[in-house]
Amino acid sequence: AQHMNCRVVTTDISDGDVVGYKSVEMEVDGINAYGWFKGEKGAHRLVRLSPFNANNKRQTTFAGVDVSPILEEEEIRDIEVPESELEITTMRSG
């Protein structure tokens, strides 16, 4: 992101139970940032040599990535959803 002159700000971090992170939320701001990063949505796999293992075994870690645009107020007002695309369900317990 920084290579493409985008500004990256970490907005939220949740530490893992033992080490690492449970979740990290970042905001990327720049020209066509959503267009560049929307393809990153999904599961990512990282394979590395574990520094905690004496046998230098490979460790696989997975991360789920979600990408969503931040819309301005006037952009939100212009959104129209046709009724044919709505699915409304009602439920009650008991």
Side-chain angles (χ1 to χ4, degrees), residues 56-92:
N56 251 0
K57 288 189 175 182
R58 291 180 357 158
Q59 179 181 15
T60 303
T61 305
F62 292 90
V65 176
D66 191 20
V67 179
S68 59
I70 298 175
L71 301 174
E72 300 295 327
E73 186 67 34
E74 57 271 4
E75 293 173 305
I76 293 171
R77 267 189 253 117
D78 294 341
I79 295 175
E80 291 184 26
V81 179
E83 260 190 67
S84 62
E85 293 186 20
L86 295 177
E87 180 179 321
I88 300 172
T89 58
T90 57
M91 295 178 229
R92 68 175 211 197

Side-chain angles (χ1 to χ4, degrees), residues 14-84:
S14 296
D15 293 326
D17 295 332
V18 180
V19 295
Y21 301 106
K22 186 179 290 187
S23 67
V24 177
E25 188 174 308
M26 298 183 294
E27 184 176 311
V28 180
D29 186 26
I31 297 173
N32 200 25
Y34 177 71
W36 281 106
F37 293 102
K38 66 182 178 183
E40 298 297 325
K41 184 176 183 175
H44 289 258
R45 184 176 86 168
L46 169 68
V47 179
R48 65 185 177 98
L49 297 178
S50 174
F52 303 107
N53 189 308
N55 297 329
N56 251 0
K57 288 189 175 182
R58 291 180 357 158
Q59 179 181 15
T60 303
T61 305
F62 292 90
V65 176
D66 191 20
V67 179
S68 59
I70 298 175
L71 301 174
E72 300 295 327
E73 186 67 34
E74 57 271 4
E75 293 173 305
I76 293 171
R77 267 189 253 117
D78 294 341
I79 295 175
E80 291 184 26
V81 179
E83 260 190 67
S84 62

